Amino acid sequence: MNFREYFESLRTGDYQIDNFKDFVKHTGFKYTVPSIHVAGTNGKGSTSNYLASIYKEFGLKVGLFTSPFLWKENEMISINGDFISDEEFEKLIKENEKNIKKYDLSAFEVQTLICFQYFMNQKCDIAIIECGMGGEYDATNIFTAILSVITSIEIEHTSQLGRSISEIAYHKAGIINKRVPVVCGDLNDEAMGVINEVALSLDSKVIKKVDPTLPTLTKDGFKFSYLTFKDVQIQSKAFYSVIDACIALEVITALRKEYPVSDEQVLNGLKNVYMDCRMDFIAENPLILVDGAHNPEGINKLKMSLEGIDFGTGIRVVFACFKDKNMQSMLGTLGEVVDEITLTTFDNPRARQLEDYFLFADDYKYMDNPLDVVQYYKENYPNDVILITGSLAFAAYMKNLLKGNK
């Protein structure tokens, strides 16, 4: 089965779970694996991967559901780091084919259903479930979590989630369950006010991440301490990954009575995580860096990470993003720390093409082929850093082309 073509044939684009809830109600479907539910504008994927790695180190059979995928749909669904096989994926789709059509389930609803069934069939001990978008009406929001996580809240998906921080926060807060704790990352006062209000109404404890102690960038990634955890080491050279790891540590601490993970297991779990396309150094001479920052908050976090590294040379950017992203804000923030930005496109129906860049034509160079941009920088600025960013899909696409390893 061609999974890409299959999912593209299903309903996409709306933000409601009425059809999925009808399916759940009339079929009696119930998801029963103890699960942590993760929402947020940025940081969901890294936080989820850190949690999955720690609980695997603890000896549990851990399901992980994340989106979007980088290269293949199977990446969304994994157990202890192993992706669901093509055969199992196809088998579960075919088993549900009648109901998929009857209830007109969307692509993400089908992916969520397959994930939930797979984790139950495989008898996972625990699972980390990442929201696709928002929270309240997300397809994943059909179970009671053992703990909820909201990593960050910024303006995004305004046509579905609203145009203010408070509106978006209410959607994210939709994953908070009655008398179930919620761990929050660095939220501004407006977002935090909404989370506190919703949590209070549900008698749910709010746990806030605090600042790490002495975060230090080493050749092997960041080292820091947090709460009682000393000398924490992560592979990432991005400061935003430190924040994501701290959120994961708050979750581990909150659930330690039920899952008594040792400090050694926590440290090993964090150290074992490698995140593709997040401050990902893929080549030297020249240094090529790919990062999947795809919205203003992500670009701002990328900027902070770049400022924390003394490259000793210039930074040249290869930039492509989706049509629905706030490109003006993203480019403005990048422009504060880089020397040149060249706009481009890539093979994705959502990617901006030349005509979508017309407002920026006077300020930025445009080249159709991103590989030509990389070659241009290599020839003209052989000692400078080449940064590829603007979209997680674009980062993965370029890493694939430049590394040839997927």
Side-chain angles (χ1 to χ4, degrees):
M1 174 182 283
N2 186 315
F3 296 122
R4 186 75 52 91
E5 290 181 1
Y6 172 73
F7 287 118
E8 286 176 353
S9 74
L10 300 177
R11 179 172 55 84
T12 58
D14 56 358
Y15 183 58
Q16 54 86 14
I17 55 172
D18 295 342
N19 293 31
F20 201 33
K21 283 189 171 180
D22 283 345
F23 160 79
V24 170
K25 178 181 178 181
H26 291 107
T27 64
F29 177 78
K30 187 175 182 180
Y31 175 61
T32 56
V33 176
S35 296
I36 297 165
H37 205 179
V38 185
T41 304
N42 290 293
K44 299 190 298 294
S46 297
T47 300
S48 296
N49 273 275
Y50 284 133
L51 288 170
S53 181
I54 291 169
Y55 285 124
K56 176 188 176 185
E57 193 72 20
F58 181 53
L60 300 180
K61 192 172 188 178
V62 188
L64 176 63
F65 182 54
T66 60
S67 61
F69 60 89
L70 295 182
W71 293 285
K72 194 175 181 183
E73 288 79 2
N74 308 57
E75 299 166 29
M76 299 172 69
I77 304 170
S78 64
I79 297 177
N80 284 359
D82 296 324
F83 301 139
I84 185 173
S85 68
D86 287 352
E87 294 75 19
E88 189 70 23
F89 213 153
E90 184 171 353
K91 179 173 79 74
L92 288 171
I93 288 173
K94 288 181 176 178
E95 285 178 4
N96 288 282
E97 193 168 10
K98 182 178 177 181
N99 281 324
I100 290 169
K101 292 178 179 177
K102 179 177 179 180
Y103 294 97
D104 188 25
L105 299 185
S106 71
F108 188 67
E109 286 167 345
V110 173
Q111 291 157 353
T112 301
L113 174 61
I114 299 305
C115 160
F116 286 176
Q117 289 184 329
Y118 183 60
F119 291 168
M120 289 192 293
N121 291 347
Q122 296 297 315
K123 296 180 170 53
C124 286
D125 299 307
I126 192 172
I128 320 299
I129 306 296
E130 179 190 329
C131 288
M133 180 175 66
E136 182 178 8
Y137 301 127
D138 192 77
T140 61
N141 200 23
I142 60 165
F143 69 96
T144 298
I146 59 173
L147 186 139
S148 302
V149 182
I150 300 175
T151 57
S152 65
I153 297 176
E154 295 292 338
I155 299 294
E156 63 159 352
H157 302 300
T158 53
S159 59
Q160 291 92 0
L161 305 183
R163 297 188 174 277
S164 68
I165 290 292
S166 59
E167 286 180 295
I168 294 170
Y170 275 113
H171 280 290
K172 308 282 187 192
I175 70 166
I176 301 174
N177 302 127
K178 195 168 187 177
R179 288 189 288 275
V180 174
V182 54
V183 170
C184 296
D186 293 324
L187 310 186
N188 65 27
D189 290 343
E190 185 178 358
M192 203 67 241
V194 171
I195 301 304
N196 284 329
E197 175 189 334
V198 173
L200 181 63
S201 72
L202 295 170
D203 194 22
S204 300
K205 180 182 179 181
V206 176
I207 302 167
K208 300 179 185 177
K209 177 207 137 289
V210 297
D211 291 334
T213 303
L214 298 175
T216 304
L217 182 60
T218 73
K219 64 180 179 61
D220 298 316
F222 263 99
K223 192 172 184 178
F224 61 97
S225 294
Y226 188 79
L227 302 177
T228 60
F229 302 101
K230 307 300 181 185
D231 298 326
V232 180
Q233 180 80 54
I234 59 174
Q235 292 189 41
S236 176
K237 292 181 171 65
F239 181 72
Y240 58 74
S241 294
V242 175
I243 304 303
D244 300 336
C246 290
I247 296 171
L249 290 172
E250 285 287 2
V251 174
I252 295 297
T253 302
L255 292 175
R256 223 164 183 182
K257 183 177 179 181
E258 296 83 359
Y259 303 96
V261 188
S262 71
D263 283 8
E264 182 181 5
Q265 290 165 336
V266 171
L267 297 181
N268 287 338
L270 289 175
K271 189 166 57 177
N272 289 339
V273 174
Y274 172 76
M275 294 296 295
D276 268 307
C277 300
R278 277 84 161 182
M279 281 291 283
D280 194 354
F281 294 83
I282 65 169
E284 297 180 0
N285 301 317
L287 191 63
I288 299 179
L289 169 63
V290 296
D291 189 278
H294 57 274
N295 54 35
E297 185 198 17
I299 290 290
N300 189 55
K301 288 183 174 181
L302 171 59
K303 173 194 167 189
M304 292 171 59
S305 293
L306 292 173
E307 289 174 330
I309 301 176
D310 182 12
F311 291 110
T313 185
I315 302 175
R316 311 284 162 175
V317 178
V318 187
F319 184 95
C321 70
F322 287 159
K323 297 173 185 177
D324 60 343
K325 298 301 180 179
N326 185 345
M327 181 176 160
Q328 184 172 2
S329 175
M330 295 165 73
L331 291 176
T333 300
L334 268 181
E336 296 173 12
V337 290
V338 305
D339 296 270
E340 183 177 357
I341 300 172
T342 300
L343 307 178
T344 187
T345 189
F346 65 110
D347 184 19
N348 189 295
R350 293 177 59 198
R352 286 182 186 257
Q353 307 294 326
L354 175 60
E355 59 270 21
D356 301 305
Y357 288 119
F358 72 96
L359 290 175
F360 307 91
D362 293 337
D363 300 313
Y364 302 96
K365 182 185 292 147
Y366 173 85
M367 297 173 71
D368 270 317
N369 187 335
L371 289 177
D372 289 344
V373 184
V374 173
Q375 188 59 34
Y376 166 78
Y377 285 151
K378 283 183 176 181
E379 292 175 357
N380 290 276
Y381 308 98
N383 298 315
D384 284 4
V385 177
I386 299 174
L387 167 63
I388 297 167
T389 191
S391 159
L392 186 57
F394 178 55
Y397 173 83
M398 289 300 290
K399 182 172 182 177
N400 181 28
L401 290 179
L402 293 169
K403 295 287 286 183
N405 62 349
K406 294 289 178 181

